[in-house]
Amino acid sequence: MKILISLIFLKLSLVSDSNKLDVFGGMNHYMKFLEENCEPHCIFPESSLASYNLDLFPTNCSTVCADILIDERSNLSEYQLSHAFQNMKHLIGSLAVMSTDFKSGTFLASLESVECSTKSRLKPPVDIIENIYNPNAFTNVIKIQIEANLHEDFCITTQEMQTFITTEFASLNCRPCKICENNVNMCNDSLENLLDNCTHVNGNVMIGPENEHLVSKLKIVETIYGSLIIRSTNLTHIAFLENLKHILTFNYSVSIIIENNPQFSNLTFPNLKRIYTNSLLTAIMLNNNSDILSPNFKNCDLIHAQFKYLKTKSISLDENTCEAIQRSANNTLEGKLANHPSLGIMGFLNLIIILGAL
């Protein structure tokens, strides 16, 4: 199986661990949970959906409680599933679709939400899958994973990707992720040739001494599907990226590279909400810029405050990870405290102030 979208929904916060099926302590507790959330006639008790039990599915219910498994043994067509699910807007339970001959998920067109106390999965047969339909059904997602060997025409639209990246998921693993090129306001050009109405850039945005005078062209860009690279310029800040909200890097590269800019001193993004990279090491790399951005505890703290979802080891200042910088700062503090066991509160606060300047 080549594509896996694992979903954990916010309903989890409303269901205690003692109510989860894997720690229920018995099926009776699980059935009680279902009965509290669905009308009795809207509960599908079977563990899998197939041609032999399709007539038992509550086709007239808008909210259905079920753990639905659809696989190669189900012997169901997309048309049959579309008819069965046409009134289902909310699913409480779980959903797994795997090892089928389906070309899309259009039979889930009516589905608006999935709420569950366990993980839900969508595993289409990606050697023939052509599209992901109705991504709004997968809101409140914790983890999304799309893996290799997709159909050659498989791509994700900017609308679908926006649904994924604006949801509070813990991680997005996309290998590979191909963005559909027929999107409105999608550009594939260099900064020199960038159109004035471009809000999505498919490819790296590279700013250097030859084109830094054109950065105003980027003021309406909202998403970069690639890396942001600012190298060897006289720029001092990135305020010109006033509408940039997302940087999504899918080719195992660093999302933000800013290096050899002697005047660059302010890394504050006005509206950046999230960056993503499938690089296993670094997401943000700053090298040889203004002394104001030197590798110290304070700068790491300021940068990490903008990207709290990133691990400190994925942020690098002059080839030092913020994880290592913070560890060194903590060791310095511990050493000073060990050498001065009778240090008063004012002395301790002075050490904290000194530490911020390290």
Side-chain angles (χ1 to χ4, degrees):
M1 195 52 53
K2 312 303 189 298
I3 181 170
L4 170 62
I5 301 179
S6 298
L7 312 172
I8 303 177
F9 297 85
L10 291 183
K11 186 70 173 182
L12 279 171
S13 62
L14 305 178
V15 181
S16 66
D17 286 342
S18 62
N19 283 334
K20 293 183 181 179
L21 179 58
D22 50 357
V23 289
F24 269 140
M27 182 59 69
N28 289 337
H29 289 82
Y30 178 59
M31 292 305 298
K32 182 179 179 181
F33 165 73
L34 295 182
E35 291 169 358
E36 289 175 350
N37 288 274
C38 281
E39 296 293 332
H41 66 279
C42 294
I43 298 175
F44 181 67
E46 304 290 323
S47 60
S48 62
L49 184 62
S51 56
Y52 67 86
N53 62 8
L54 183 62
D55 58 340
L56 299 178
F57 192 83
T59 56
N60 294 322
C61 294
S62 60
T63 298
V64 175
C65 284
D67 289 305
I68 302 173
L69 168 64
I70 303 169
D71 59 19
E72 72 277 12
R73 297 166 297 180
S74 295
N75 193 28
L76 292 170
S77 67
E78 293 178 59
Y79 174 80
Q80 288 175 297
L81 290 173
S82 295
H83 178 74
F85 296 158
Q86 62 182 337
N87 294 313
M88 182 176 67
K89 295 183 178 181
H90 309 288
L91 173 64
I92 299 177
S94 63
L95 170 66
V97 182
M98 59 185 71
S99 302
T100 71
D101 291 329
F102 302 152
K103 293 185 177 181
S104 73
T106 53
F107 53 86
L108 298 173
S110 299
L111 186 62
E112 297 177 0
S113 69
V114 181
E115 301 177 358
C116 55
S117 58
T118 56
K119 291 184 179 179
S120 297
R121 297 170 294 168
L122 174 62
K123 295 181 70 175
V126 295
D127 52 328
I128 57 173
I129 191 168
E130 294 175 351
N131 67 296
I132 295 176
Y133 188 87
N134 194 20
N136 288 323
F138 306 116
T139 56
N140 303 329
V141 179
I142 295 297
K143 185 176 182 181
I144 300 174
Q145 184 170 321
I146 302 175
E147 295 187 342
N149 296 328
L150 304 176
H151 185 278
E152 61 181 8
D153 295 329
F154 178 86
C155 64
I156 300 177
T157 67
T158 55
Q159 180 182 3
E160 291 164 341
M161 185 57 73
Q162 290 297 316
T163 298
F164 292 150
I165 63 180
T166 56
T167 303
E168 293 299 321
F169 55 77
S171 64
L172 169 64
N173 189 2
C174 205
R175 300 180 297 174
C177 261
K178 179 182 176 183
I179 303 299
C180 303
E181 296 184 358
N182 59 344
N183 291 289
V184 177
N185 297 333
M186 170 71 81
C187 303
N188 301 287
D189 302 312
S190 63
L191 181 56
E192 289 83 349
N193 299 318
L194 203 65
L195 300 177
D196 292 337
N197 65 340
C198 183
T199 57
H200 296 79
V201 177
N202 191 10
N204 295 337
V205 172
M206 304 186 68
I207 304 173
E210 70 284 354
N211 62 8
E212 62 179 290
H213 62 288
L214 300 173
V215 294
S216 60
K217 285 188 171 187
L218 299 170
K219 65 181 180 180
I220 68 168
V221 171
E222 298 179 2
T223 304
I224 296 173
Y225 297 99
S227 299
L228 172 64
I229 303 173
I230 303 176
R231 183 177 287 139
S232 303
T233 72
N234 289 314
L235 296 173
T236 61
H237 56 76
I238 45 181
F240 53 86
L241 294 168
E242 56 189 85
N243 287 296
L244 182 64
K245 298 177 181 178
H246 306 105
I247 301 176
L248 307 174
T249 312
F250 301 123
N251 58 352
Y252 305 97
S253 299
V254 180
S255 290
I256 299 174
I257 301 175
I258 302 176
E259 58 186 6
N260 301 324
N261 305 283
Q263 307 300 319
F264 196 91
S265 59
N266 190 335
L267 190 63
T268 301
F269 285 87
N271 283 301
L272 190 60
K273 306 299 183 185
R274 180 175 291 274
I275 66 173
Y276 164 79
T277 177
N278 52 13
S279 169
L280 299 178
L281 298 176
T282 306
I284 301 175
M285 180 186 297
L286 281 73
N287 290 319
N288 195 30
N289 298 297
S290 166
D291 290 341
I292 297 176
L293 290 178
S294 59
N296 59 50
F297 180 90
K298 180 180 179 180
N299 282 332
C300 281
D301 200 41
L302 289 173
I303 296 172
H304 193 245
Q306 291 188 78
F307 310 102
K308 294 180 180 179
Y309 49 87
L310 291 179
K311 296 180 179 179
T312 53
K313 67 179 181 181
S314 66
I315 302 172
S316 173
L317 298 180
D318 289 346
E319 300 183 357
N320 297 279
T321 68
C322 279
E323 180 182 59
I325 293 170
Q326 291 175 341
R327 186 188 305 117
S328 176
N330 290 336
N331 290 339
T332 299
L333 176 60
E334 291 174 1
K336 289 183 179 293
L337 290 175
N339 292 329
H340 300 278
S342 60
L343 193 65
I345 183 63
M346 292 307 297
F348 177 79
L349 291 176
N350 285 334
L351 276 180
I352 295 296
I353 294 172
I354 293 172
L355 186 61
L358 291 178

